[in-house]
Amino acid sequence: MRCELITHSKWRSSIAAVVAALALIVLPASPAHATYGPDQPVWVQLTATGTGQYLALLQGTVAFDDGNTNYRYTLSLCWQSGAYPQPSFLINVNGTTTQSPVYTGMSSAPGCQFVYNYSADVNFGSTVRNVRFDVTGGWFASNGQYMMRTKSSGTYDNPYN
């Protein structure tokens, strides 16, 4: 009978192979990631009532995932010279839920005092049927009275439901 000596390197290789095989069996597979549909352009120009003075411009994109629970956006809010104080916007999901946007930094653009950038991949937790953006800005009228106005974008429908 022939006896073979197993070296340390062969022994380690054998153990590594067994551990790798067990890991494939025991560890769950990572969840699949949803795929996003095409970006839909977002554009909302807010102007002062009566004078048409530019207050804010919201522009960028929004997209929905094929799993119906996520949406993503990349948006810039231009603070135009007629507005005081800084304009803002909110995200309206399914016509009932309002969410604050996620601020990601500042940039500059012609015609803007400041440009505020917002971007996020949002897991809503339930079906996202549609999204709308509500931009609010204020200004002083010629008589010195402070005025505010909100303008809503159109409704961006999720193409997957």
Side-chain angles (χ1 to χ4, degrees), residues 2 21 32 35 53-55 77 81 90 94 98 110 123 134 149:
R2 184 172 175 239
T35 302
Q53 184 176 20
Y54 292 133
L55 302 174
L77 181 65
S81 62
L90 293 172
N94 298 337
T98 302
N123 182 340
D134 299 330
R149 179 172 182 226

Side-chain angles (χ1 to χ4, degrees), residues 25-64:
I25 295 169
V26 174
L27 294 177
S30 62
H33 292 279
T35 302
Y36 279 94
D39 287 334
Q40 299 180 41
V42 173
W43 192 87
V44 180
Q45 176 67 69
L46 179 66
T47 58
T49 304
T51 66
Q53 184 176 20
Y54 292 133
L55 302 174
L57 174 62
L58 180 69
Q59 59 186 341
T61 61
V62 63
F64 300 91

